[in-house]
Amino acid sequence: MDEKKAYEKKAQADLDLMQARLDELKAKAAKAEAQGEIDLQQQIKDLKAKRDAAQERLAELNKAGQDAWSDLKGGFSKAADDLKAALDDAASRLS
């Protein structure tokens, strides 16, 4: 498997894992008290936007040719890191 395909496969697995964490946070938010739920629902909305941005970067990466993909890799990595940090923050607030 070439480096681009291996990176794409890992990136998709990372996004899938973060989606599972987002789903878990949504379930916990549903159980939260009224005000906490309102705050958490906004945070989940923000997390979904970050997830969508990371997914868009991955789609761009998938469409890129062999020469251009390394330039796009940094954009995806930043979007994925932002999403992971936001998920970690949200999870810590629920603990």
Side-chain angles (χ1 to χ4, degrees):
M1 182 180 305
D2 67 21
E3 184 180 359
K4 179 180 183 280
K5 290 291 182 194
Y7 184 85
E8 289 171 357
K9 187 175 180 178
K10 181 189 178 310
Q12 186 60 57
D14 288 345
L15 279 180
D16 291 345
L17 180 61
M18 286 185 262
Q19 178 62 50
R21 289 186 65 201
L22 178 56
D23 292 341
E24 181 181 334
L25 289 173
K26 284 173 29 181
K28 287 182 180 181
K31 294 179 183 177
E33 301 265 340
Q35 183 58 42
E37 185 175 338
I38 290 168
D39 294 341
L40 199 52
Q41 290 299 331
Q42 181 58 46
Q43 194 169 21
I44 287 172
K45 183 178 176 184
D46 294 342
L47 286 168
K48 286 180 180 180
K50 289 181 184 296
R51 181 218 41 219
D52 291 346
Q55 190 65 49
E56 287 175 24
R57 297 292 183 268
L58 181 57
E60 290 172 5
L61 187 77
N62 288 336
K63 291 178 187 176
Q66 190 66 32
D67 295 333
W69 83 271
S70 61
D71 294 335
L72 296 173
K73 185 169 67 169
F76 170 78
S77 292
K78 180 174 179 351
D81 289 345
D82 289 347
L83 175 57
K84 184 180 182 314
L87 283 167
D88 290 344
D89 182 56
S92 71
R93 291 177 192 222
L94 284 173
S95 298

